[in-house]
Amino acid sequence: MKQKIKNIINKLAAPDVSFADVRITITDYESIFFMNANLRDYSSSKGSVAIGIRVLIDGCFGFAGSKDLSDSNIEKLISKARANAIHGAKFQKEKLTFPSLPAITGEYEHKPEIDPFAMPKAEKLEYLQGLATSIKPAGKIVHSYTAAEFERQEKYYANSEGSFNHMIVTNTLPMMMVVASDGKHTQSRTWPGHMSAGRAGFELFYQQKFEDNAELIIKEATDLLTADVITEEKADIIIGAGHLALQLHESVGHATEADRIFGQEISYAGKTFVKPSMLGNFKYGSDILNIYSDSTDPKGMGYSPMDDEGVPGRRVDIIKNGILMDQQTSRHIAHKLGLEPSSNMKASFADDFPLVRMTNLCIAPGKGSLAELIASTERGYFLDFTKTWSIDDNRNNFQFTTEIGYKIRDGRIVGIVKEPTYFGITPEFWNACDAICGEEEWAYHSTFHCGKGEPGQVMRLSHGVAPARFRDVNVSVKM
Amino acid sequence: MNEQLKYLKSALDQHPELKYVLTFGEWQTDFLRFYQSQTNYNISKDSSSLNATLYKGKKSCSFNIDHPDTQKIDEALKTAVDMIDTMPEDPDFVDVEDDLTLAEPRQIVNNIEALGLDEKTRILGDLAKRAAKYDFELYGTFICNYQTTHLLNSKGLDKTSTQSPIYLEVKAVHKDSQVTVLETFGGDDFKYFDEAAFGKSLLTKVALAQNPVVDVDPGEYEVILAPRCVAEFAQYLSYGMRAGSVDSHNSFFEGKLDEQLFPPSFSLTDDPTDPQMIRLDYGDQGHIYRPLKLIENGYFRAFMCGQYFHHKLGLPKNGNTGECLKVDAGNAKLEDMIKSVKKGLYISSLHYMNFINARETSLTGLTRDGTFLIEDGKITKVVNNLRFTERISEIFANVIEFEETAHTIPFSDNYGEFSVNSSRAPHARIKDFNITSSTRTI
């Protein structure tokens, strides 16, 4: 495959081509879904191949992608990619700038502790059946599901500058959920929450203590049916790491994707309130807030020796001591902004066009445990497990509902509330952050399903976070 | 029949103990994405895949093969046959789809070939020049897909359907203020694209966007919802009309069949036959796709139900999937609807909606691409984008009137394989629409 991709790069060489790159991915995928303790779906695909060819001609990118890797089809893809660039250049006012980079080489293989594709299927199904049975409908529980997705992807990348990357990774997404009903109302609880994926194999089920938490989510979903709602207008809230990962994702991650500054995502995902003039001076958050993009950490799903346009993996401070310092960029956009490219151009599969994407976007840890943070909170709520999320197309106004809130009075949890909902404006919210837990609470929380781009792509990425506290947040939504 | 599909079918016919559902899909897109009135990127993309679900009694397993060949099929089939006995049973499975009815044949034009890149860029270039006079630039997508699906099963079902949807979305964005307005076209027949009318409508909206930008306070407003908003709210409402929602106890409509839930002016149909929409021949399991009245003069009439939930829940089977929703037009003229609003909002488009509680139809979302203040019956100002938190059932219960004309609204599905579908809806005037905060941005 290495030789094949290099041959394609050689074929793309032409006087009018100022840059070209080629990606090939080979993906194995398996999905298992139990509903109400019955297996509803087992599906798999093995060795799905995809190829994408991107060329820069006359300052315009053209792209062609396919799942057919035959030599004859590759010739067609080269022609299509070229034609798309040449035709696209006719509807262009400003030629795309793309400063060259030195050639680099990357090689990486991630080996999970328990390879989900190698372990016996019977063993895998038996474990998941047991888990599904432990949360099957009974009492107030009227619906449940248990799901697992496993993916192994081998990726080859080469470009006309001589860079080459080869990597193999395994990702796993485990999830379980119960729905409780009293006949009129329903409430749900998941484990371990919305960002449950990870760069790991089947061991993720054990690491995330699924079996230990089955009873807990059944009890909490049932208790939520009779729980109160938050009645205050404003409250101090502590956000658990799983949900904070999504808060970070939506209100910092997408907001600092610099393609949005130039409107390249207006037609679908949206814009950003961030302007180039804010770099280096905008107070995005409180002084304790440090947020970085780090594609050099192999523990996160955003790890890569180089991105999908040949930029070596980097750790970049996006927010330092509360000040907006940098952006997630492509080579072209970094040049427009006068920045170093941040190694954030990624395509989900080889036949997808690379876009500015989050990799491992993290909040640096602060100090102390979650128990200490709760103990130091006089009156407030500890919110976790995402239920609803929504943010405007400038990434400025967000509203989140979590599955459950734990009421804090005088430093102790004294009860629960249902569907706690908070909303705010991004910079005001992050400036209200007065405490972030320490390394002992810090972990990666990851997703398979970050949607962006047209045609749409869903990216695998991670957020390293620890629980954090936010003061005086709006928690009253009148409906 | 595709050779690989034929090969797999003949291999499976050697296994009389197995039932099966096979789908072979071929998909192509030509995708032009533009920003700042110029090309962002041009993409050509194609795929072919063979999907098989095998059943042995109440046990099943599925596999998918991209760009299949006989070697891949042999390997996948052997793995599946070897493992199916080890699978746990699904006691609710009864049988595969048995509706063998074929749709009327239709002539399908391949719009990727019919509508070339040069013609797309000409249309966009002309629009860009007109918008530039007002300091607006164009952002959006101009897409043609061509896709064929061949569905077979062990009951003898053998159906092929082809679609070639067109999707044009043009957002005009002011260079300085970032005020945005939207115009779209969607369908499978480009003859319905009226270039002059499209441009005129876009520029009319651009003219409205010259008004000053203001913020409004949270509260309940009388609003005029553009057809795109009505269609999107109807899509979210229809979530509870799926049999699967009843099964998971998340349906607002559970136990409400034939109850009047909305004003008599509200009727909603899942209609795959309208030539001004992107038509569908079959549901995803192969049941023929026919018009289905979901809400009739305010009464809830039917759940959308396929083979599985028909057996499990005892609901009538219709195979509908809610991909071709039509809200009936009413009697009002749009200008009269606006004139009748003393102080309210005109909302062009919605963004990032998500259920808070699906059973209660409560959700939150935002306005986008042109929110306007109406004062004394006239659009007077542009309003920053707003957040609403509402129950969709109440939005439709609060309908005062619908416009006399319904409009086709295309939607793109960006999760999974890129697809385009459409709805039809008129403008609607709604009372007490609950704005809960401002985004303070446009």
Side-chain angles (χ1 to χ4, degrees), chain A residues 42 44 65-66 84 87-88 91 93 250 267-268 352 388 390 394 397 428 456 478, chain B residues 33 36 39 42 44-46 62 64 118 137 169 352 355 368 387 414 434 440 442:
Chain A
Y42 170 88
S44 66
S66 177
N84 283 340
H87 284 282
F91 181 52
K93 299 180 296 187
E250 300 290 2
S267 64
Y268 175 56
D352 290 322
T388 298
S390 173
N394 280 294
N397 174 308
E428 292 173 9
K478 305 263 184 320
Chain B
R33 202 173 198 209
Q36 297 176 351
T39 301
N42 275 323
S44 299
K45 196 169 163 181
D46 62 68
S62 303
N64 186 75
D118 285 337
E137 292 182 316
E169 178 180 285
Y352 220 133
F355 278 117
R368 186 187 198 186
R387 173 173 297 287
N414 272 291
N434 191 27
R440 304 184 203 165
I442 201 75

mmCIF file of all heavy atoms in Angstrom, chain A residues 42 44 65-66 84 87-88 91 93 250 267-268 352 388 390 394 397 428 456 478, chain B residues 33 36 39 42 44-46 62 64 118 137 169 352 355 368 387 414 434 440 442:
data_model
loop_
_atom_site.group_PDB
_atom_site.id
_atom_site.type_symbol
_atom_site.label_atom_id
_atom_site.label_comp_id
_atom_site.label_asym_id
_atom_site.label_seq_id
_atom_site.Cartn_x
_atom_site.Cartn_y
_atom_site.Cartn_z
ATOM 1 N N TYR A 42 -26.519 -6.962 15.294
ATOM 2 C CA TYR A 42 -25.077 -7.205 15.261
ATOM 3 C C TYR A 42 -24.645 -6.972 13.824
ATOM 4 O O TYR A 42 -25.160 -7.608 12.901
ATOM 5 C CB TYR A 42 -24.737 -8.649 15.670
ATOM 6 C CG TYR A 42 -23.279 -8.961 15.391
ATOM 7 C CD1 TYR A 42 -22.316 -8.689 16.352
ATOM 8 C CD2 TYR A 42 -22.867 -9.432 14.149
ATOM 9 C CE1 TYR A 42 -20.981 -8.899 16.077
ATOM 10 C CE2 TYR A 42 -21.531 -9.646 13.878
ATOM 11 C CZ TYR A 42 -20.593 -9.386 14.842
ATOM 12 O OH TYR A 42 -19.266 -9.577 14.577
ATOM 13 N N SER A 44 -21.227 -5.887 11.092
ATOM 14 C CA SER A 44 -19.778 -5.724 10.977
ATOM 15 C C SER A 44 -19.397 -5.425 9.538
ATOM 16 O O SER A 44 -20.135 -5.737 8.597
ATOM 17 C CB SER A 44 -19.064 -6.998 11.440
ATOM 18 O OG SER A 44 -19.364 -8.056 10.557
ATOM 19 N N GLY A 65 -13.018 11.212 -4.177
ATOM 20 C CA GLY A 65 -12.903 10.110 -3.226
ATOM 21 C C GLY A 65 -13.730 8.926 -3.672
ATOM 22 O O GLY A 65 -14.728 9.079 -4.385
ATOM 23 N N SER A 66 -13.296 7.757 -3.255
ATOM 24 C CA SER A 66 -14.002 6.536 -3.677
ATOM 25 C C SER A 66 -13.653 5.393 -2.728
ATOM 26 O O SER A 66 -12.732 5.494 -1.921
ATOM 27 C CB SER A 66 -13.579 6.183 -5.104
ATOM 28 O OG SER A 66 -14.188 4.980 -5.516
ATOM 29 N N ASN A 84 -12.102 19.113 -10.978
ATOM 30 C CA ASN A 84 -12.787 19.870 -9.920
ATOM 31 C C ASN A 84 -11.981 21.103 -9.510
ATOM 32 O O ASN A 84 -12.551 22.161 -9.228
ATOM 33 C CB ASN A 84 -13.040 18.978 -8.708
ATOM 34 C CG ASN A 84 -14.217 18.042 -8.923
ATOM 35 O OD1 ASN A 84 -15.062 18.281 -9.781
ATOM 36 N ND2 ASN A 84 -14.269 16.959 -8.165
ATOM 37 N N HIS A 87 -12.123 23.651 -12.651
ATOM 38 C CA HIS A 87 -13.438 24.316 -12.755
ATOM 39 C C HIS A 87 -13.676 25.221 -11.560
ATOM 40 O O HIS A 87 -14.207 26.319 -11.695
ATOM 41 C CB HIS A 87 -14.559 23.278 -12.844
ATOM 42 C CG HIS A 87 -14.665 22.644 -14.180
ATOM 43 N ND1 HIS A 87 -15.256 23.276 -15.252
ATOM 44 C CD2 HIS A 87 -14.258 21.441 -14.636
ATOM 45 C CE1 HIS A 87 -15.197 22.475 -16.311
ATOM 46 N NE2 HIS A 87 -14.604 21.361 -15.961
ATOM 47 N N GLY A 88 -13.279 24.755 -10.384
ATOM 48 C CA GLY A 88 -13.495 25.563 -9.178
ATOM 49 C C GLY A 88 -12.738 26.874 -9.241
ATOM 50 O O GLY A 88 -13.208 27.909 -8.753
ATOM 51 N N PHE A 91 -14.423 30.078 -10.419
ATOM 52 C CA PHE A 91 -15.335 30.812 -9.520
ATOM 53 C C PHE A 91 -14.545 31.150 -8.260
ATOM 54 O O PHE A 91 -14.785 30.639 -7.181
ATOM 55 C CB PHE A 91 -16.556 29.939 -9.229
ATOM 56 C CG PHE A 91 -17.584 30.581 -8.333
ATOM 57 C CD1 PHE A 91 -18.091 31.844 -8.601
ATOM 58 C CD2 PHE A 91 -18.067 29.914 -7.214
ATOM 59 C CE1 PHE A 91 -19.043 32.432 -7.775
ATOM 60 C CE2 PHE A 91 -19.019 30.486 -6.381
ATOM 61 C CZ PHE A 91 -19.505 31.751 -6.667
ATOM 62 N N LYS A 93 -12.108 34.426 -6.346
ATOM 63 C CA LYS A 93 -11.591 35.795 -6.371
ATOM 64 C C LYS A 93 -10.174 35.843 -5.832
ATOM 65 O O LYS A 93 -9.375 36.675 -6.208
ATOM 66 C CB LYS A 93 -12.464 36.698 -5.493
ATOM 67 C CG LYS A 93 -13.906 36.796 -5.944
ATOM 68 C CD LYS A 93 -14.704 37.695 -5.026
ATOM 69 C CE LYS A 93 -14.777 37.124 -3.624
ATOM 70 N NZ LYS A 93 -15.660 37.854 -2.726
ATOM 71 N N GLU A 250 -18.168 22.257 22.526
ATOM 72 C CA GLU A 250 -19.084 23.133 21.788
ATOM 73 C C GLU A 250 -18.684 24.602 21.880
ATOM 74 O O GLU A 250 -18.790 25.332 20.898
ATOM 75 C CB GLU A 250 -20.522 22.958 22.320
ATOM 76 C CG GLU A 250 -21.088 21.541 22.208
ATOM 77 C CD GLU A 250 -21.369 21.117 20.776
ATOM 78 O OE1 GLU A 250 -21.095 21.886 19.852
ATOM 79 O OE2 GLU A 250 -21.846 19.973 20.585
ATOM 80 N N SER A 267 -22.365 27.514 5.781
ATOM 81 C CA SER A 267 -23.504 26.855 5.150
ATOM 82 C C SER A 267 -24.025 25.685 5.971
ATOM 83 O O SER A 267 -25.138 25.225 5.735
ATOM 84 C CB SER A 267 -23.136 26.387 3.744
ATOM 85 O OG SER A 267 -22.128 25.417 3.801
ATOM 86 N N TYR A 268 -23.275 25.190 6.930
ATOM 87 C CA TYR A 268 -23.796 24.068 7.712
ATOM 88 C C TYR A 268 -23.549 24.286 9.202
ATOM 89 O O TYR A 268 -24.425 24.702 9.940
ATOM 90 C CB TYR A 268 -23.180 22.753 7.220
ATOM 91 C CG TYR A 268 -23.558 21.561 8.053
ATOM 92 C CD1 TYR A 268 -24.901 21.235 8.266
ATOM 93 C CD2 TYR A 268 -22.592 20.740 8.621
ATOM 94 C CE1 TYR A 268 -25.254 20.146 9.043
ATOM 95 C CE2 TYR A 268 -22.941 19.648 9.387
ATOM 96 C CZ TYR A 268 -24.270 19.358 9.603
ATOM 97 O OH TYR A 268 -24.608 18.285 10.367
ATOM 98 N N ASP A 352 -13.029 11.329 2.458
ATOM 99 C CA ASP A 352 -13.558 12.609 2.948
ATOM 100 C C ASP A 352 -12.518 13.705 2.744
ATOM 101 O O ASP A 352 -11.308 13.469 2.885
ATOM 102 C CB ASP A 352 -13.871 12.521 4.445
ATOM 103 C CG ASP A 352 -15.059 11.625 4.732
ATOM 104 O OD1 ASP A 352 -16.021 11.660 3.951
ATOM 105 O OD2 ASP A 352 -15.010 10.883 5.731
ATOM 106 N N THR A 388 -29.201 17.133 26.811
ATOM 107 C CA THR A 388 -29.508 17.983 25.658
ATOM 108 C C THR A 388 -28.418 19.024 25.491
ATOM 109 O O THR A 388 -27.957 19.585 26.485
ATOM 110 C CB THR A 388 -30.830 18.731 25.875
ATOM 111 O OG1 THR A 388 -31.868 17.790 26.005
ATOM 112 C CG2 THR A 388 -31.156 19.631 24.702
ATOM 113 N N SER A 390 -27.156 22.414 22.878
ATOM 114 C CA SER A 390 -27.515 23.298 21.772
ATOM 115 C C SER A 390 -26.678 24.561 21.886
ATOM 116 O O SER A 390 -26.480 25.080 22.986
ATOM 117 C CB SER A 390 -29.012 23.638 21.848
ATOM 118 O OG SER A 390 -29.349 24.615 20.890
ATOM 119 N N ASN A 394 -22.773 31.098 16.102
ATOM 120 C CA ASN A 394 -21.536 31.816 16.424
ATOM 121 C C ASN A 394 -20.835 31.227 17.642
ATOM 122 O O ASN A 394 -19.850 31.787 18.115
ATOM 123 C CB ASN A 394 -21.838 33.290 16.680
ATOM 124 C CG ASN A 394 -21.996 34.059 15.386
ATOM 125 O OD1 ASN A 394 -21.036 34.201 14.634
ATOM 126 N ND2 ASN A 394 -23.191 34.543 15.100
ATOM 127 N N ASN A 397 -24.031 31.525 22.407
ATOM 128 C CA ASN A 397 -25.129 31.240 23.338
ATOM 129 C C ASN A 397 -25.358 29.736 23.369
ATOM 130 O O ASN A 397 -25.689 29.126 22.360
ATOM 131 C CB ASN A 397 -26.400 31.961 22.858
ATOM 132 C CG ASN A 397 -27.636 31.615 23.678
ATOM 133 O OD1 ASN A 397 -27.943 30.445 23.875
ATOM 134 N ND2 ASN A 397 -28.353 32.620 24.134
ATOM 135 N N GLU A 428 -18.551 34.835 29.034
ATOM 136 C CA GLU A 428 -19.014 35.110 30.403
ATOM 137 C C GLU A 428 -18.954 33.833 31.238
ATOM 138 O O GLU A 428 -18.560 33.842 32.404
ATOM 139 C CB GLU A 428 -20.454 35.648 30.381
ATOM 140 C CG GLU A 428 -20.568 37.034 29.773
ATOM 141 C CD GLU A 428 -22.015 37.475 29.610
ATOM 142 O OE1 GLU A 428 -22.930 36.777 30.113
ATOM 143 O OE2 GLU A 428 -22.230 38.511 28.959
ATOM 144 N N GLY A 456 -21.144 15.436 5.015
ATOM 145 C CA GLY A 456 -20.868 15.380 6.434
ATOM 146 C C GLY A 456 -19.827 14.338 6.816
ATOM 147 O O GLY A 456 -19.706 13.288 6.187
ATOM 148 N N LYS A 478 -37.664 29.370 31.533
ATOM 149 C CA LYS A 478 -39.129 29.343 31.668
ATOM 150 C C LYS A 478 -39.742 28.681 30.440
ATOM 151 O O LYS A 478 -39.467 29.061 29.318
ATOM 152 C CB LYS A 478 -39.659 30.777 31.780
ATOM 153 C CG LYS A 478 -39.031 31.605 32.898
ATOM 154 C CD LYS A 478 -39.902 31.607 34.134
ATOM 155 C CE LYS A 478 -39.403 32.478 35.262
ATOM 156 N NZ LYS A 478 -37.996 32.514 35.535
ATOM 157 N N ARG B 33 -18.893 23.448 -2.808
ATOM 158 C CA ARG B 33 -19.087 24.248 -1.596
ATOM 159 C C ARG B 33 -18.421 25.600 -1.822
ATOM 160 O O ARG B 33 -17.266 25.666 -2.251
ATOM 161 C CB ARG B 33 -18.444 23.535 -0.409
ATOM 162 C CG ARG B 33 -19.024 23.974 0.912
ATOM 163 C CD ARG B 33 -18.484 23.129 2.032
ATOM 164 N NE ARG B 33 -19.339 23.257 3.192
ATOM 165 C CZ ARG B 33 -18.907 23.137 4.443
ATOM 166 N NH1 ARG B 33 -17.653 22.868 4.692
ATOM 167 N NH2 ARG B 33 -19.734 23.272 5.450
ATOM 168 N N GLN B 36 -17.575 33.267 0.600
ATOM 169 C CA GLN B 36 -17.103 34.576 0.133
ATOM 170 C C GLN B 36 -17.240 34.697 -1.389
ATOM 171 O O GLN B 36 -16.357 35.201 -2.074
ATOM 172 C CB GLN B 36 -15.660 34.819 0.564
ATOM 173 C CG GLN B 36 -15.497 34.861 2.076
ATOM 174 C CD GLN B 36 -14.048 35.001 2.522
ATOM 175 O OE1 GLN B 36 -13.115 34.905 1.730
ATOM 176 N NE2 GLN B 36 -13.857 35.227 3.819
ATOM 177 N N THR B 39 -15.310 29.538 -4.853
ATOM 178 C CA THR B 39 -15.218 28.108 -4.535
ATOM 179 C C THR B 39 -14.451 27.883 -3.232
ATOM 180 O O THR B 39 -13.394 28.465 -3.023
ATOM 181 C CB THR B 39 -14.463 27.375 -5.665
ATOM 182 O OG1 THR B 39 -15.163 27.579 -6.885
ATOM 183 C CG2 THR B 39 -14.373 25.886 -5.376
ATOM 184 N N ASN B 42 -14.391 21.621 -4.481
ATOM 185 C CA ASN B 42 -15.240 20.779 -5.320
ATOM 186 C C ASN B 42 -14.922 19.327 -5.014
ATOM 187 O O ASN B 42 -13.761 18.925 -5.043
ATOM 188 C CB ASN B 42 -14.917 21.005 -6.796
ATOM 189 C CG ASN B 42 -15.656 22.174 -7.358
ATOM 190 O OD1 ASN B 42 -16.791 22.405 -7.006
ATOM 191 N ND2 ASN B 42 -14.999 22.916 -8.233
ATOM 192 N N SER B 44 -15.911 15.249 -5.851
ATOM 193 C CA SER B 44 -16.634 14.137 -6.485
ATOM 194 C C SER B 44 -16.390 12.917 -5.614
ATOM 195 O O SER B 44 -15.248 12.667 -5.211
ATOM 196 C CB SER B 44 -16.117 13.862 -7.894
ATOM 197 O OG SER B 44 -16.304 14.983 -8.706
ATOM 198 N N LYS B 45 -17.444 12.193 -5.342
ATOM 199 C CA LYS B 45 -17.285 11.072 -4.430
ATOM 200 C C LYS B 45 -18.261 9.969 -4.840
ATOM 201 O O LYS B 45 -19.393 10.272 -5.239
ATOM 202 C CB LYS B 45 -17.600 11.577 -3.026
ATOM 203 C CG LYS B 45 -17.150 10.708 -1.907
ATOM 204 C CD LYS B 45 -17.284 11.442 -0.575
ATOM 205 C CE LYS B 45 -17.246 10.457 0.559
ATOM 206 N NZ LYS B 45 -17.380 11.062 1.863
ATOM 207 N N ASP B 46 -17.819 8.741 -4.745
ATOM 208 C CA ASP B 46 -18.737 7.635 -5.060
ATOM 209 C C ASP B 46 -18.489 6.485 -4.104
ATOM 210 O O ASP B 46 -17.422 6.377 -3.508
ATOM 211 C CB ASP B 46 -18.553 7.168 -6.512
ATOM 212 C CG ASP B 46 -17.168 6.624 -6.767
ATOM 213 O OD1 ASP B 46 -16.822 5.560 -6.228
ATOM 214 O OD2 ASP B 46 -16.402 7.273 -7.519
ATOM 215 N N SER B 62 -25.615 -9.164 10.805
ATOM 216 C CA SER B 62 -25.510 -8.353 9.585
ATOM 217 C C SER B 62 -24.052 -8.134 9.239
ATOM 218 O O SER B 62 -23.188 -8.113 10.112
ATOM 219 C CB SER B 62 -26.163 -6.980 9.796
ATOM 220 O OG SER B 62 -27.492 -7.114 10.183
ATOM 221 N N ASN B 64 -21.604 -5.695 6.264
ATOM 222 C CA ASN B 64 -21.577 -4.701 5.201
ATOM 223 C C ASN B 64 -20.247 -4.821 4.474
ATOM 224 O O ASN B 64 -19.198 -4.958 5.111
ATOM 225 C CB ASN B 64 -21.723 -3.292 5.795
ATOM 226 C CG ASN B 64 -21.834 -2.252 4.709
ATOM 227 O OD1 ASN B 64 -22.859 -2.124 4.076
ATOM 228 N ND2 ASN B 64 -20.751 -1.516 4.465
ATOM 229 N N ASP B 118 -19.894 23.795 -14.688
ATOM 230 C CA ASP B 118 -19.872 25.119 -15.319
ATOM 231 C C ASP B 118 -21.212 25.824 -15.161
ATOM 232 O O ASP B 118 -21.259 27.040 -14.936
ATOM 233 C CB ASP B 118 -19.519 24.988 -16.805
ATOM 234 C CG ASP B 118 -18.036 24.705 -16.987
ATOM 235 O OD1 ASP B 118 -17.263 25.045 -16.057
ATOM 236 O OD2 ASP B 118 -17.660 24.147 -18.025
ATOM 237 N N GLU B 137 -21.969 38.757 0.343
ATOM 238 C CA GLU B 137 -21.261 37.665 -0.336
ATOM 239 C C GLU B 137 -22.034 36.361 -0.138
ATOM 240 O O GLU B 137 -22.827 36.250 0.812
ATOM 241 C CB GLU B 137 -19.848 37.507 0.247
ATOM 242 C CG GLU B 137 -18.946 38.692 -0.085
ATOM 243 C CD GLU B 137 -17.538 38.505 0.449
ATOM 244 O OE1 GLU B 137 -17.411 38.072 1.615
ATOM 245 O OE2 GLU B 137 -16.587 38.787 -0.289
ATOM 246 N N GLU B 169 -28.230 25.608 -1.717
ATOM 247 C CA GLU B 169 -28.433 26.451 -0.540
ATOM 248 C C GLU B 169 -27.532 27.666 -0.690
ATOM 249 O O GLU B 169 -26.313 27.524 -0.813
ATOM 250 C CB GLU B 169 -28.078 25.687 0.735
ATOM 251 C CG GLU B 169 -28.223 26.539 1.985
ATOM 252 C CD GLU B 169 -27.858 25.779 3.254
ATOM 253 O OE1 GLU B 169 -28.667 24.949 3.680
ATOM 254 O OE2 GLU B 169 -26.770 26.022 3.787
ATOM 255 N N TYR B 352 -29.645 24.000 15.413
ATOM 256 C CA TYR B 352 -29.185 23.180 16.534
ATOM 257 C C TYR B 352 -30.296 22.895 17.540
ATOM 258 O O TYR B 352 -30.177 23.173 18.728
ATOM 259 C CB TYR B 352 -28.012 23.859 17.261
ATOM 260 C CG TYR B 352 -26.921 22.880 17.675
ATOM 261 C CD1 TYR B 352 -25.588 23.152 17.433
ATOM 262 C CD2 TYR B 352 -27.243 21.690 18.313
ATOM 263 C CE1 TYR B 352 -24.583 22.267 17.798
ATOM 264 C CE2 TYR B 352 -26.258 20.803 18.682
ATOM 265 C CZ TYR B 352 -24.915 21.100 18.420
ATOM 266 O OH TYR B 352 -23.935 20.221 18.783
ATOM 267 N N PHE B 355 -33.980 17.748 21.570
ATOM 268 C CA PHE B 355 -35.022 17.484 22.564
ATOM 269 C C PHE B 355 -34.474 17.580 23.982
ATOM 270 O O PHE B 355 -33.368 17.091 24.265
ATOM 271 C CB PHE B 355 -35.601 16.079 22.376
ATOM 272 C CG PHE B 355 -36.646 15.989 21.310
ATOM 273 C CD1 PHE B 355 -36.446 15.213 20.182
ATOM 274 C CD2 PHE B 355 -37.843 16.684 21.446
ATOM 275 C CE1 PHE B 355 -37.427 15.120 19.202
ATOM 276 C CE2 PHE B 355 -38.824 16.595 20.467
ATOM 277 C CZ PHE B 355 -38.612 15.816 19.345
ATOM 278 N N ARG B 368 -31.818 31.529 13.030
ATOM 279 C CA ARG B 368 -30.612 31.646 12.202
ATOM 280 C C ARG B 368 -31.009 32.213 10.839
ATOM 281 O O ARG B 368 -32.153 32.075 10.419
ATOM 282 C CB ARG B 368 -30.024 30.241 12.027
ATOM 283 C CG ARG B 368 -28.706 30.163 11.330
ATOM 284 C CD ARG B 368 -28.331 28.703 11.076
ATOM 285 N NE ARG B 368 -26.915 28.577 10.802
ATOM 286 C CZ ARG B 368 -26.301 27.457 10.427
ATOM 287 N NH1 ARG B 368 -26.983 26.361 10.284
ATOM 288 N NH2 ARG B 368 -25.012 27.429 10.196
ATOM 289 N N ARG B 387 -32.591 32.352 21.183
ATOM 290 C CA ARG B 387 -32.832 30.975 21.635
ATOM 291 C C ARG B 387 -34.293 30.837 22.057
ATOM 292 O O ARG B 387 -34.857 31.734 22.688
ATOM 293 C CB ARG B 387 -31.928 30.625 22.815
ATOM 294 C CG ARG B 387 -32.261 29.262 23.446
ATOM 295 C CD ARG B 387 -31.263 28.832 24.502
ATOM 296 N NE ARG B 387 -29.931 28.640 23.955
ATOM 297 C CZ ARG B 387 -29.572 27.620 23.186
ATOM 298 N NH1 ARG B 387 -30.476 26.682 22.881
ATOM 299 N NH2 ARG B 387 -28.349 27.518 22.735
ATOM 300 N N ASN B 414 -26.394 15.163 7.150
ATOM 301 C CA ASN B 414 -24.942 15.129 7.153
ATOM 302 C C ASN B 414 -24.351 14.096 8.086
ATOM 303 O O ASN B 414 -23.138 14.015 8.217
ATOM 304 C CB ASN B 414 -24.396 16.518 7.482
ATOM 305 C CG ASN B 414 -24.254 17.340 6.217
ATOM 306 O OD1 ASN B 414 -23.417 17.063 5.384
ATOM 307 N ND2 ASN B 414 -25.127 18.312 6.038
ATOM 308 N N ASN B 434 -42.001 31.003 22.644
ATOM 309 C CA ASN B 434 -41.230 31.276 23.858
ATOM 310 C C ASN B 434 -39.740 31.506 23.579
ATOM 311 O O ASN B 434 -38.963 30.553 23.458
ATOM 312 C CB ASN B 434 -41.410 30.099 24.834
ATOM 313 C CG ASN B 434 -40.874 30.417 26.210
ATOM 314 O OD1 ASN B 434 -40.830 31.580 26.611
ATOM 315 N ND2 ASN B 434 -40.456 29.395 26.929
ATOM 316 N N ARG B 440 -26.944 37.489 21.264
ATOM 317 C CA ARG B 440 -26.195 38.757 21.174
ATOM 318 C C ARG B 440 -25.313 38.809 19.934
ATOM 319 O O ARG B 440 -24.441 39.670 19.802
ATOM 320 C CB ARG B 440 -25.342 39.013 22.413
ATOM 321 C CG ARG B 440 -26.143 38.998 23.703
ATOM 322 C CD ARG B 440 -25.260 39.360 24.876
ATOM 323 N NE ARG B 440 -25.804 38.853 26.124
ATOM 324 C CZ ARG B 440 -25.105 38.782 27.245
ATOM 325 N NH1 ARG B 440 -23.852 39.195 27.286
ATOM 326 N NH2 ARG B 440 -25.663 38.310 28.337
ATOM 327 N N ILE B 442 -25.174 37.886 15.431
ATOM 328 C CA ILE B 442 -26.024 37.698 14.267
ATOM 329 C C ILE B 442 -25.523 36.510 13.462
ATOM 330 O O ILE B 442 -24.343 36.199 13.488
ATOM 331 C CB ILE B 442 -26.050 38.968 13.384
ATOM 332 C CG1 ILE B 442 -27.262 38.976 12.495
ATOM 333 C CG2 ILE B 442 -24.752 39.164 12.607
ATOM 334 C CD1 ILE B 442 -28.539 39.301 13.192
#
